[in-house]
Amino acid sequence: SAPDHELHAFVNDLERPISTYLYGRRMYETMVFWETAEADPDEPVFADYAAIWRAADKVVFSRTLATVASARTRIEHEFESDAVARLKQSSSTDISIGGAELAGQAMAAGLVDECHLFLCPIVVGGGKRALPDHVRVDLELLGERRFGGGVVHLGGQAVDVAPFGGQDAAQ
């Protein structure tokens, strides 16, 4: 996506308190653009986001990635919910999770405190589902905002996480 100035500034404010990004491989490969992105003097929100991203630590969960192309980045070959829980408990700042499969694992493990969804007025077929099977996360709506380009942000705080779906929920 190519967010307009208003949306990009809003995302920057959401991202500013984050000290660590947890990414799946594909999401990391998309986001690593920010490691070398050139500042555009006509777009200060662009440079602001690049600085926010570069200042954060990154953990990439991948079984196939051998090297990383950004500073402050390490690879973990398996998602271990206990290790992520310890990281979360020891961090005095926010941690963000990006990537459908990784976010689903974190949701299922009860590690997600907030969920921010951006609904865009466009349909692009394919890709991974954004939400995991067999997990129910009750959210309390923290806020909603509509942007000029038709994008809608919904922010929710997790209040309860539970498996559902009968027999398959335990798998």
Side-chain angles (χ1 to χ4, degrees), residues 78-99:
E78 298 291 330
F79 176 83
E80 295 180 19
S81 60
D82 290 341
V84 173
R86 285 191 300 276
L87 175 64
K88 183 179 165 184
Q89 289 174 344
S90 69
S91 180
S92 61
T93 57
D94 291 344
I95 297 170
S96 174
I97 300 172

Side-chain angles (χ1 to χ4, degrees), residues 28-39 46 49-58 68-73:
Y28 171 72
E29 289 173 344
T30 299
M31 298 304 292
V32 76
F33 160 83
W34 294 102
E35 184 71 11
T36 58
E38 296 292 327
F46 186 93
Y49 185 80
I52 292 166
W53 193 86
R54 291 173 189 156
D57 293 328
K58 278 77 74 181
V68 293
S70 57
R72 304 181 67 140
T73 305

Side-chain angles (χ1 to χ4, degrees), residues 5 12 40-49:
H5 177 82
N12 289 1
D40 180 348
D42 295 329
E43 292 294 333
V45 295
F46 186 93
D48 185 29
Y49 185 80

Side-chain angles (χ1 to χ4, degrees), residues 130-147:
L131 303 172
D133 286 332
H134 310 298
V135 174
R136 177 187 171 119
V137 180
D138 291 336
L139 301 171
E140 176 185 331
L141 185 63
L142 295 176
E144 58 184 272
R145 182 168 171 185
R146 182 177 302 272
F147 295 89

Side-chain angles (χ1 to χ4, degrees), residues 102-124:
L102 186 64
Q105 291 174 2
M107 283 181 188
L111 296 171
V112 175
D113 297 324
E114 290 184 13
C115 185
H116 295 273
L117 296 175
F118 289 86
L119 305 174
C120 301
I122 185 170
V123 174
V124 179

